[in-house]
Amino acid sequence: MDHDLRRQARSAGIEPDFIDGEGIERHAAEPALRALLELLAGPDAERRLLVVRHGDAIELGAGNEGVRLATLSKQGHVIARSREPQLTLPDDLPPGSYRLELALEDGGCTIFELLHTPSRAYQPAFALEGRRSWVLGVQLYSLCNARNFGHGDFTDLRLLLELVADAGGGGVGVNPLHALAEDDSGEISPYAPSSRVFLNWLYIDVGALPGIEAGDLERISPRGRTDTGLIDYAGVAAAKEQVLRLAWRRFAARGSAAERDEFAAFRQEMEPDLRRYATFCLLRRREGGSWRYWRRPWARPQPQDIAGLAQQEADEIGFHEFVQFHAHRQLARCAAVARRRRMDVGLYLDVAVGVHPDGFDVWNDPGAFLQGASIGAPPDPLNRAGQNWGLTGFHPAGLRQRGYQPFRRMLGAAMRHAGAIRLDHVLGLNRSYVIPPGLDPTQGAYVRFPLDELLAVIAMESQFHRCLVIGEDLGTVPPGLRDKLQQAGIWTYRVLMFERDGDGFHPAESYPETALATFSTHDLPTFAGWRAGKDIELMESLGLPAPESPAQRQAAIERLRQAVCASGGADGALSYREIVAFLFRTRARLLALGLEDILGVERQVNVPGTHLEYPNWRHRIRFDPSEIGKLLRQTLPQGASQD
């Protein structure tokens, strides 16, 4: 064992030894440690950054002995001065970025960027008032009908919001809406985005675009759009692009002054990233494949390269900007419905834990990411081989060097339209399981992140956007992390399927108040599938280890029935309605009801560890609002709409 190497690893923020999800102590191999040390090599000059929560004083002595005068300012305006060992910030100081200048006794000067953040993340009114709310969880892409080309869109989302509001619900939760690869209909996982800043254009209702007529849609729309089989992503994309390009041509020829002004304002608001994103979309189609192999200068373009291409390809780049404009415009209309209906949450959006290594976000700012390595999970009871998600995560030093701007942009992109977001695998704020290239998932190691500073940044963005933050805190959770997240105002994510131990399922009163409670997730079986053991059959047919034996499942079903009955439920056959009633009897202030569960769907949305073996993210559901509304009302406990 190379003790010096392990010491270097710890100093660099790598955990060479850790306890996995099965309680087994694991030791990272030397090749993994050497590879991670190389990947984590930080910038030559670290950014002088201080992240300070509201109410905290700044200690001026540590590392800055001989401070004569500390001056806090913003845009040349002096806010506070101190000759004491501490600088206390004004109580009414707004969150934001400030300049802290330390004049030293020896005549020198040290300048910091000070990021002043709220003490906690935003807490919604319904929770502060002691009320409970619920949302309907939906895989938006799965909804099919005669109007939407066989792929759910933002008009469907608006209809769902109205439907849930009529039933007394607080909002609708959907899969990540992040932009995927523009030119590759095979890259369909919403959790492997090209960008977490821009939107997936397939959710645009092309029939609602200005200048598009019914005859255009009838001529272009794909066949089989109402089939409840599998989504034809290539067909949907080809048809929607035809309509979008037609709308762009008509807009360019005769768009109204109001529409042009709104488009121009959107462009200005989203610069410079919008122009770079549109350029990336063009280059993906022209250069093909991974951006790492593009011709010079396009793998690492300079601003003048982008500007030059924008002049040469103004029409094509304008088209991609136009697409994003309408995606954001339609999503904003969904948020407006939630505000008009006074919904507790409105949109509850999912934020993926990482990005595709060949996508826009990494190309746009490669130093902000741990390029070459993948994030994943160590072996645990659900997957004893560990998991490699094929995603690229943030670089801890790279984030800090940029004043956390990439992280803030990611959060702001989701929060601008949402009343709540879920951070997928929130454990990554504390440490991320990183797998170096060429190694399998059992050979990774944890890389530590600046948790306190990331939580402070989340609090700032959350308060600014008035958006609840829920952390998906499942998996190998370090001791004390959930307490720290709770102190920061981030809610926990409680999945009933996992809320059990050797003695059975946890009682309703064991759930914390600041929690979202649900039965399952997109990576787990539906209630009907779980009760029928379909996930066991599926895993065995795919050659994957089943979560439990049929006998163990039957025992689990009986124990869940006992827990439901013990909480006041009916002593009979276990139904999803009884599960929902149990969730309503927990202390959790927010509940998520799954659309697949309400409809009694047995098939699983996604099977982790599969790619071509199972049609992940492809199953359709026929979207009949009146039928769904009826089933939803039948599923809710009596009086739930007034809770």
Side-chain angles (χ1 to χ4, degrees), residues 325-346:
F325 166 61
H326 279 288
H328 281 82
R329 192 187 204 189
Q330 291 190 4
L331 185 57
R333 288 173 180 167
C334 295
V337 168
R339 288 193 297 271
R340 175 174 57 80
R341 297 299 304 267
R342 300 183 181 277
M343 302 180 83
D344 289 327
V345 174

Side-chain angles (χ1 to χ4, degrees), residues 268-498:
Q268 184 175 7
E269 176 192 359
M270 301 294 283
E271 289 300 328
D273 284 343
L274 178 62
R275 176 59 51 85
R276 291 181 63 85
Y277 179 72
T279 301
F280 181 80
C281 293
L282 182 154
L283 290 170
R284 277 277 305 195
R285 296 173 183 235
R286 193 179 78 179
E287 301 292 320
S290 171
W291 57 263
R292 292 171 178 79
Y293 305 109
W294 289 352
R295 295 171 295 169
R296 292 183 181 179
W298 303 121
R300 293 284 193 276
Q302 298 300 310
Q304 62 269 24
D305 301 318
I306 301 290
L309 189 61
Q311 287 185 335
Q312 298 170 21
E313 301 282 357
D315 183 72
E316 185 67 10
I317 286 179
F319 166 71
H320 290 292
E321 293 175 333
F322 177 80
V323 169
Q324 282 299 310
F325 166 61
H326 279 288
H328 281 82
R329 192 187 204 189
Q330 291 190 4
L331 185 57
R333 288 173 180 167
C334 295
V337 168
R339 288 193 297 271
R340 175 174 57 80
R341 297 299 304 267
R342 300 183 181 277
M343 302 180 83
D344 289 327
V345 174
L347 294 176
Y348 164 45
L349 302 183
D350 217 348
V351 179
V353 66
V355 293
H356 197 291
D358 295 331
F360 168 75
D361 284 356
V362 182
W363 175 83
N364 187 45
D365 192 0
F369 294 89
L370 281 171
Q371 292 188 73
S374 295
I375 54 176
D380 61 29
L382 285 179
N383 196 323
R384 291 180 171 81
Q387 299 178 55
N388 183 332
W389 299 328
L391 302 175
T392 299
F394 281 126
H395 189 304
L399 272 186
R400 204 170 193 283
Q401 176 72 6
R402 289 158 176 76
Y404 295 105
Q405 282 301 322
F407 187 64
R408 294 180 63 184
R409 282 197 298 272
M410 178 197 78
L411 293 172
M415 291 179 176
R416 67 183 295 177
H417 300 300
I421 65 169
R422 188 192 83 139
L423 294 178
D424 190 30
H425 195 67
V426 74
L427 312 181
L429 298 176
N430 179 56
R431 61 181 190 177
S432 187
Y433 190 72
V434 181
I435 305 159
L439 300 181
D440 68 54
T442 65
Q443 296 176 295
Y446 279 107
V447 173
R448 291 194 297 273
F449 276 71
L451 174 63
D452 290 337
E453 295 188 351
L454 289 170
L455 292 177
V457 170
I458 290 172
M460 180 166 64
E461 294 296 325
S462 169
Q463 291 283 2
F464 177 77
H465 293 279
R466 298 178 62 81
C467 184
L468 169 66
V469 179
I470 298 158
E472 189 261 300
D473 49 355
L474 307 175
T476 306
V477 184
L481 179 59
R482 278 185 170 145
D483 291 338
K484 196 149 196 173
L485 293 172
Q486 183 182 35
Q487 292 166 9
I490 295 177
W491 287 25
T492 185
Y493 187 70
R494 295 302 169 95
V495 178
L496 194 160
M497 195 182 297
F498 291 153

Side-chain angles (χ1 to χ4, degrees), residues 238-253:
K240 286 202 170 190
E241 183 174 344
Q242 283 189 63
V243 182
L244 283 161
R245 288 193 179 276
L246 179 60
W248 168 241
R249 290 196 298 271
R250 290 176 178 172
F251 171 81

